[in-house]
Amino acid sequence: MEHQGVSREQLELRLARAERRAARLAADGRRVRRTTECFQAAGLALTRTFDLDTILESLLDYLRRLVPYDSATIFLLEQETHLVARAARGYERWIEGPDARVVDTVRFDLDSSPRHRRLVTTQQSHVIADTEQDPDWDDIASSTHVRSWLGVPLVAGGHTVGLYSLDKVEPGFFDLEHRRWAEALAAQAAIAIQNSMLHRQTQRELSERRQAERAEREQRVFAEALRDIAALLNSSLDLDTVFQGILTQVARVVPSEAGSILLIVGDMVEVRHIRGYDETHVGWRFPLNRPHLLKVIRTGRPEVIDDARACDGWINTPGTVWVRSVITAPVFSGREVIGFLSLERDTPGAFTPQHVERLQVFANQAGIAVRNARLFEAEQRQLAEIEQAEAAARAANAKMRRELALAGAVQTSFLPRELPDLDGWQISVTLRPAGETSGDFYDVHSLPDGRVGLLVADVVGKGVGAALYMAASWALLRTYAGQAGVQPEQVLEATNRRITHEARTSRFVTLFYGLLDPATAILTYCNAGHCPALLVRGSDPETLCELSAQGMPLGMLAQARWEARTVHLDPGDTLVIYTDGVIEARNAQREFFDEERLHSVVLAHAGQPAAEIQQAILDAVDEFMGTGARSDDVAVAVLVREQVRASAGAAPVLRVASDLENLSLVRRFVAEQGAALGAALDAVDDMILAVDECATNVVRHGYRGREGEIEVEVRRDADALIACLRDRADLFDPRIASLPDLSVPLEQRPLGKMGLFFVNQLVDRIEYAVRPGGGNELTLIIEAAIRGPDSSTCRRAGGHK
Amino acid sequence: MTITTSQAKGSVSVTILRIEGDLDASNYLDVIKAARDAYGGGARHMLLDMGGVPFMSSSGLMALHSIALLMRGEEPPDPEHGWSAFHSMGRDVEESGVQDLVKLVNVQPRVARALEMARFDQYFECCDNLEEAIASF
């Protein structure tokens, strides 16, 4: 079924996919926000103190939130040759005894562990996905439980100060994202560790030498400046804010008239931030060809120009003519120099080695700021993409919901608004969807030939998909059912072929489809995997017959076939067709309503008007369910043949197709009408056999395999029971046909015309007429078969046995 | 209509065909086919249990007649060619009288009436119960 060029099935799939994607994106967004917040918090915590142990413990805390390790060790490098474990977590869980104590007990030469040595020398993190497969793996540092390993060097200002090693007991645990966060945190941590060590050194110097008050204040200012800038670094991800802060803070500890932060852009250098210069310099670019800058890049160390005027490579700009001393430190991103932090003084030889060291610390901060800003920028971009995708998904979902609401409305419009008004019949149909749309449906439609189609169907499954499938099935069924002379199995087979051909889903439809000929009271039906329809005879109100499935549901197999069955509905008969929502309704105890309850309701109300029977069923289901929510659609159709009214004028007439299969219907009709007229049983029996033989002859010898109709009418005339057969077949007058001579012994008797012989034996009179327009009218008369109101005797009352 | 076949052992082996439902022009060929299958399986004595047949038309007579021919080892004429095809059959059994290869049991009143009317009761023995019928072969 097409809907704005897209199949409804596809639409539903897309909705589900879009909802899943939106949920995934939202989860991704939350995760990214959480991780970014954690990272910022880690930076603040690391710079809040100069105490090394606190820094390392805090580092392990935050590390675990970003990279959930099983155990971890932080090593610091001593004398460039040894690693000492200074903090550790998680080993007691995996290792018993004193080996679990890693801190300060594990100390080893770099040369004894290739994997650790590699971290220190390459300054690159390293992952071992499976320690059992890795030739470099060694059991140094209580690591027998480790299956995957992530080592990250702690590098500050281009120098390795230590490393941390993260362990996981499962192989293949650490992914790119783990590695990225571990590296980012390592950059922050390395600076915090370096600051802490500088501070400790300063403290030591202060106490040991009892330096002058000025030096002491200077150190304090330096420490504060460091802390301030670190705090700034971690509270703001805006690069300009951080750079400006660095320039301000560095001036507190390294006296200078001016300063700038320069960033390398391709083969140019751009003045990004300045202090002490004219603001117009910001954004100015010059070629990366100044010898002292090239040397900084080459060595990775700060470079000092003691006197710019005596320096060959120094190029003055109009704003820098006053400059005499210059100090320039590299700004790293990882191992790459991405820019410079530069300070200038108007006196030559103004910068001391201590200044150089301090400047590099600030330059390192700038590197971190750049790195964080880039990380943040990437996250922001990712977040923006996620939000954009979320918004798009929301918009698409809303659009689809609108369309599906429309689909529900369209679906309701499928159901017939008015049911055909049939004299002598009552039809009542209802559908109660469990949700906005329904997988159940019904249809009652009049055919051009006077028959009435009655359809109750259930698309297996619930919700929108089922409803859309229903709509498609309904449209096909109605298309095929609307043709005169069509048989139910033809409708089913044609519909089934289309459904299985066009719908590539695993859905299917169970249905009961009947064609009622109101004139003959014959219902020709197919039950395709549906709940059995329930028939209660007016003549036997205690018994319930089931019109069960004879075929599979539609939509399962393209070449499926169905066989129609016929049932004659007598006056007073009740037929109930329903969907499984009735018997599968559940109460609070999770019990099913079940067929037994349904059967007893139907038996209790059979014979009542159709609408009342239907209401009784729905009420019983509601009462059973209590307050529980309906989980399935419910459809109930009731067909009742009204009792023949005594004043009915015209005699009932049965019309059946010329088919030997319909003989049983003919016999049943004669039996019912005979009984209704009050004829003696044996007279009725004789008439049944006579009519059967005549009808057999019409099918066999009259129509001779051609299609045709036989009409049977049973009436009384005074005390006579009369049956009349009409056809449009070849003309044949049975009165002039020769009959077999039964005086001849059986063995010599021709067996032909035995049926006709029977008829002559069974009835008292045969009348024959050619019908207007062609065809035969044969009238069979049994006299004195019906006890008249004035007669107390009956010829056949005693029977023939 | 349903037809079930079973075996019983009297003085000879008897095949019992139990028929359920009205026997009319729409299904009498099914009965003939069941008998033909039984004959092909070795059946030579056949008992038709008519306890489940409330109604039988002249088509049923054709079925009975064909079964009698089958049990004698003759191929009955194609019933679709009409009753006249059966003309020759009678003469063959002229001397034998009531044939004893096919018998009926549990015949219901309306069916009995049809048999009587056609005088088929002279040709097919109708037994009252199964044991007696099996023993009579």
Side-chain angles (χ1 to χ4, degrees):
Chain A
M1 173 136 183
E2 292 293 315
H3 187 78
Q4 296 187 359
V6 183
S7 98
R8 285 164 181 273
E9 201 66 41
Q10 285 173 329
L11 200 60
E12 187 214 2
L13 276 174
R14 275 192 210 169
L15 172 62
R17 212 180 294 135
E19 278 171 348
R20 277 199 302 275
R21 179 167 153 73
R24 202 169 54 235
L25 290 171
D28 286 350
R30 280 194 300 277
R31 187 174 49 74
V32 167
R33 273 183 219 107
R34 235 181 1 250
T35 316
T36 310
E37 281 163 19
C38 177
F39 183 70
Q40 283 183 261
L44 279 176
L46 292 177
T47 52
R48 205 171 285 137
T49 174
F50 286 117
D51 179 62
L52 187 61
D53 290 335
T54 312
I55 289 170
L56 297 184
E57 287 302 313
S58 178
L59 177 57
L60 285 172
D61 284 342
Y62 282 101
L63 201 50
R64 175 168 262 165
R65 285 166 62 182
L66 291 167
V67 186
Y69 56 79
D70 287 327
S71 54
T73 313
I74 301 173
F75 294 94
L76 296 187
L77 194 61
E78 280 188 357
Q79 289 117 37
E80 309 280 321
T81 55
H82 282 74
L83 284 173
V84 183
R86 290 301 306 273
R89 283 282 171 84
Y91 291 94
E92 62 289 346
R93 219 180 125 196
W94 312 103
I95 298 163
E96 287 181 5
D99 284 354
R101 265 199 70 242
V102 172
V103 178
D104 290 333
T105 63
V106 176
R107 181 174 191 281
F108 56 90
D109 192 323
L110 269 183
D111 289 335
S112 65
S113 176
R115 59 184 162 115
H116 290 104
R117 185 185 167 77
R118 178 196 311 208
L119 295 181
V120 172
T121 53
T122 63
Q123 298 189 333
Q124 299 284 319
S125 65
H126 180 59
V127 169
I128 295 177
D130 188 350
T131 59
E132 291 184 5
Q133 309 290 326
D134 194 282
D136 275 355
W137 184 253
D138 53 64
D139 275 341
I140 272 179
S142 303
S143 51
T144 44
H145 62 291
V146 182
R147 279 299 294 279
S148 48
W149 184 75
L150 169 60
V152 182
L154 294 160
V155 181
H159 298 280
T160 308
V161 298
L163 59 89
Y164 46 72
S165 119
L166 310 182
D167 313 319
K168 201 74 186 172
V169 293
E170 63 201 75
F173 175 76
F174 297 109
D175 59 21
L176 266 178
E177 197 174 348
H178 291 140
R179 197 166 169 172
R180 199 174 56 146
W181 285 117
E183 286 171 356
L185 198 55
Q188 302 248 44
I191 287 180
I193 292 166
Q194 196 181 45
N195 290 351
S196 157
M197 296 199 305
L198 279 171
H199 182 254
R200 195 165 52 173
Q201 193 187 339
T202 308
Q203 290 293 335
R204 199 160 47 227
E205 283 166 8
L206 276 178
S207 57
E208 280 176 7
R209 296 190 224 153
R210 302 189 179 280
Q211 275 192 336
E213 209 179 84
R214 181 171 172 220
E216 195 181 311
R217 193 171 60 245
E218 199 177 280
Q219 287 301 330
R220 203 184 306 121
V221 169
F222 170 60
E224 283 167 1
L226 271 181
R227 205 166 50 205
D228 287 353
I229 199 66
L232 176 64
L233 189 60
N234 289 296
S235 63
S236 172
L237 288 164
D238 176 48
L239 208 50
D240 289 339
T241 310
V242 176
F243 281 174
Q244 205 57 55
I246 287 171
L247 279 179
T248 308
Q249 296 296 335
V250 76
R252 288 169 64 186
V253 294
V254 183
S256 53
E257 273 75 43
S260 56
I261 288 177
L262 316 169
L263 291 183
I264 299 169
V265 184
D267 53 2
M268 301 289 283
V269 177
E270 178 180 318
V271 179
R272 188 68 184 267
H273 280 276
I274 50 172
R275 184 183 57 80
Y277 292 109
D278 192 301
E279 281 298 318
T280 54
H281 285 77
V282 175
W284 180 60
R285 289 186 178 196
F286 58 92
L288 181 52
N289 56 7
R290 310 284 161 96
H292 72 289
L293 295 184
L294 292 172
K295 191 175 177 195
V296 168
I297 292 173
R298 197 167 59 246
T299 61
R301 309 284 293 174
E303 187 64 20
V304 179
I305 298 174
D306 280 332
D307 191 352
R309 289 181 188 170
C311 178
D312 287 344
W314 181 254
I315 301 170
N316 265 321
T317 60
T320 61
V321 284
W322 56 270
V323 171
R324 298 296 297 272
S325 303
V326 180
I327 180 172
T328 304
V331 173
F332 288 95
S333 173
R335 304 185 72 198
E336 186 194 357
V337 177
I338 56 161
F340 310 94
L341 173 58
S342 196
L343 296 179
E344 291 84 31
R345 294 222 71 170
D346 57 1
T347 51
F351 295 111
T352 67
Q354 194 190 31
H355 290 148
V356 171
E357 199 171 72
R358 289 179 177 181
L359 182 70
Q360 186 58 56
V361 170
F362 280 88
N364 291 349
Q365 304 279 12
I368 297 294
V370 171
R371 186 191 183 114
N372 286 355
R374 286 181 180 171
L375 197 63
F376 179 70
E377 208 177 307
E379 300 298 355
Q380 286 300 306
R381 212 169 31 241
Q382 197 187 339
L383 264 180
E385 282 168 16
I386 288 168
E387 278 163 8
Q388 206 176 348
E390 268 187 298
R394 270 197 305 275
N397 293 0
K399 179 164 179 279
M400 277 184 260
R401 281 203 190 85
R402 278 197 304 278
E403 290 175 354
L404 292 166
L406 180 68
V410 169
Q411 185 186 24
T412 311
S413 72
F414 288 154
L415 301 176
R417 287 205 179 75
E418 286 179 13
L419 301 180
D421 186 17
L422 299 174
D423 192 29
W425 298 87
Q426 294 175 5
I427 303 176
S428 189
V429 194
T430 190
L431 169 66
R432 298 205 305 199
E436 283 169 37
T437 56
S438 172
D440 286 6
F441 61 107
Y442 67 83
D443 193 21
V444 183
H445 50 267
S446 295
L447 271 65
D449 56 13
R451 291 183 297 168
V452 174
L454 188 58
L455 172 74
V456 174
D458 180 2
V459 174
V460 173
K462 285 187 277 290
V464 167
L468 296 177
Y469 197 80
M470 166 257 136
S473 309
W474 179 92
L476 288 168
L477 279 165
R478 192 154 222 204
T479 304
Y480 292 116
Q483 297 158 11
V486 78
Q487 291 304 314
E489 69 273 21
Q490 296 168 328
V491 175
L492 263 58
E493 283 165 16
T495 305
N496 180 59
R497 274 194 297 275
R498 285 291 299 277
I499 290 178
T500 47
H501 180 67
E502 298 197 348
R504 286 177 188 81
T505 76
S506 55
R507 289 189 195 282
F508 50 91
V509 191
T510 73
L511 60 85
F512 184 99
Y513 181 53
L515 282 171
L516 173 71
D517 186 343
T520 61
I522 291 172
L523 180 76
T524 311
Y525 67 92
C526 281
N527 183 334
H530 199 75
C531 308
L534 306 176
L535 174 64
V536 182
R537 296 288 188 187
S539 58
D540 184 9
E542 304 298 313
T543 309
L544 193 138
C545 318
E546 294 193 335
L547 309 185
S548 317
Q550 323 102 18
M552 63 174 70
L554 270 68
M556 296 183 103
L557 191 67
Q559 57 271 33
R561 293 282 174 272
W562 288 268
E563 200 176 311
R565 292 192 182 168
T566 52
V567 60
H568 184 267
L569 297 176
D570 302 329
D573 285 0
T574 301
L575 181 69
V576 176
I577 313 166
Y578 62 94
T579 55
D580 58 12
V582 174
I583 51 175
E584 287 175 8
R586 283 173 184 254
N587 63 8
Q589 287 77 47
R590 307 294 294 154
E591 297 167 322
F592 288 116
F593 184 69
D594 236 319
E595 288 178 301
E596 271 180 43
R597 287 191 179 83
L598 175 63
H599 290 183
S600 54
V601 175
V602 171
L603 284 171
H605 294 84
Q608 296 178 2
E612 289 180 18
I613 298 171
Q614 178 183 280
Q615 197 54 50
I617 295 170
L618 295 176
D619 288 349
V621 171
D622 285 344
E623 193 188 337
F624 177 76
M625 290 176 68
T627 54
R630 265 201 305 278
S631 62
D632 199 1
D633 312 323
V634 169
V636 177
V638 180
L639 174 67
V640 167
R641 186 173 178 195
E642 294 173 345
Q643 292 285 355
V644 177
R645 287 178 290 274
S647 59
V653 172
L654 172 77
R655 288 183 194 83
V656 293
S658 167
D659 187 335
L660 293 174
E661 294 294 336
N662 288 332
L663 288 173
S664 59
L665 294 172
V666 171
R667 291 196 295 273
R668 185 179 179 90
F669 177 73
V670 175
E672 285 166 8
Q673 297 307 317
L677 293 168
L681 278 179
D682 62 324
V684 175
D685 280 350
D686 286 354
M687 188 60 94
I688 290 168
L689 182 51
V691 171
D692 177 280
E693 297 290 355
C694 293
T696 301
N697 279 342
V698 172
V699 175
R700 274 230 172 99
H701 307 301
Y703 284 112
R704 289 188 290 187
R706 297 195 302 274
E707 289 198 359
E709 190 181 57
I710 302 172
E711 204 175 283
V712 184
E713 180 189 322
V714 178
R715 62 174 191 269
R716 71 178 283 186
D717 183 8
D719 62 352
L721 177 65
I722 300 171
C724 194
L725 280 88
R726 301 184 192 94
D727 62 55
R728 296 286 179 196
D730 297 347
L731 297 186
F732 174 74
D733 184 350
R735 294 170 306 175
I736 55 171
S738 60
L739 295 175
D741 179 1
L742 271 87
S743 63
V744 177
L746 174 76
E747 292 77 15
Q748 295 167 18
R749 196 188 310 156
L751 279 167
K753 301 183 184 114
M754 185 58 82
L756 215 48
F757 166 73
F758 273 11
V759 176
N760 277 278
Q761 290 284 299
L762 293 165
V763 306
D764 294 316
R765 251 177 331 121
I766 301 175
E767 288 174 3
Y768 174 81
V770 175
R771 295 176 72 190
N776 308 287
E777 181 178 276
L778 191 64
T779 306
L780 309 174
I781 301 156
I782 297 176
E783 306 282 5
I786 304 170
R787 208 187 291 271
D790 300 326
S791 170
S792 58
T793 59
C794 176
R795 181 174 72 97
R796 291 171 178 268
H800 51 72
K801 274 221 123 176
Chain B
M1 170 196 268
T2 60
I3 305 168
T4 45
T5 309
S6 60
Q7 295 292 326
K9 190 75 186 158
S11 52
V12 294
S13 179
V14 178
T15 302
I16 303 166
L17 239 57
R18 173 156 176 89
I19 306 167
E20 304 263 359
D22 288 358
L23 177 47
D24 66 8
S26 71
N27 55 27
Y28 75 105
L29 291 177
D30 299 340
V31 180
I32 297 175
K33 182 180 183 305
R36 189 191 304 279
D37 291 346
Y39 183 80
R44 295 298 179 264
H45 297 85
M46 185 157 290
L47 181 61
L48 300 175
D49 184 347
M50 306 289 280
V53 183
F55 171 90
M56 185 179 80
S57 70
S58 60
S59 297
L61 299 179
M62 174 115 64
L64 297 184
H65 208 289
S66 297
I67 293 169
L69 286 174
L70 279 169
M71 289 301 126
R72 278 173 36 188
E74 294 177 25
E75 184 56 27
D78 182 352
E80 293 300 311
H81 288 153
W83 284 97
S84 55
F86 282 79
H87 283 197
S88 62
M89 178 246 181
R91 282 188 292 277
D92 297 336
V93 292
E94 197 173 358
E95 308 84 37
S96 58
V98 175
Q99 54 80 36
D100 55 3
L101 299 179
V102 180
K103 298 184 183 186
L104 309 180
V105 69
N106 297 329
V107 177
Q108 299 298 298
R110 291 162 77 189
V111 175
R113 178 156 160 78
L115 289 171
E116 280 166 29
M117 273 196 299
R119 310 275 165 86
F120 260 50
D121 50 349
Q122 301 168 5
Y123 192 57
F124 289 93
E125 187 181 336
C126 293
C127 308
D128 290 334
N129 64 64
L130 215 55
E131 293 74 27
E132 197 181 292
I134 292 164
S136 74
F137 276 96

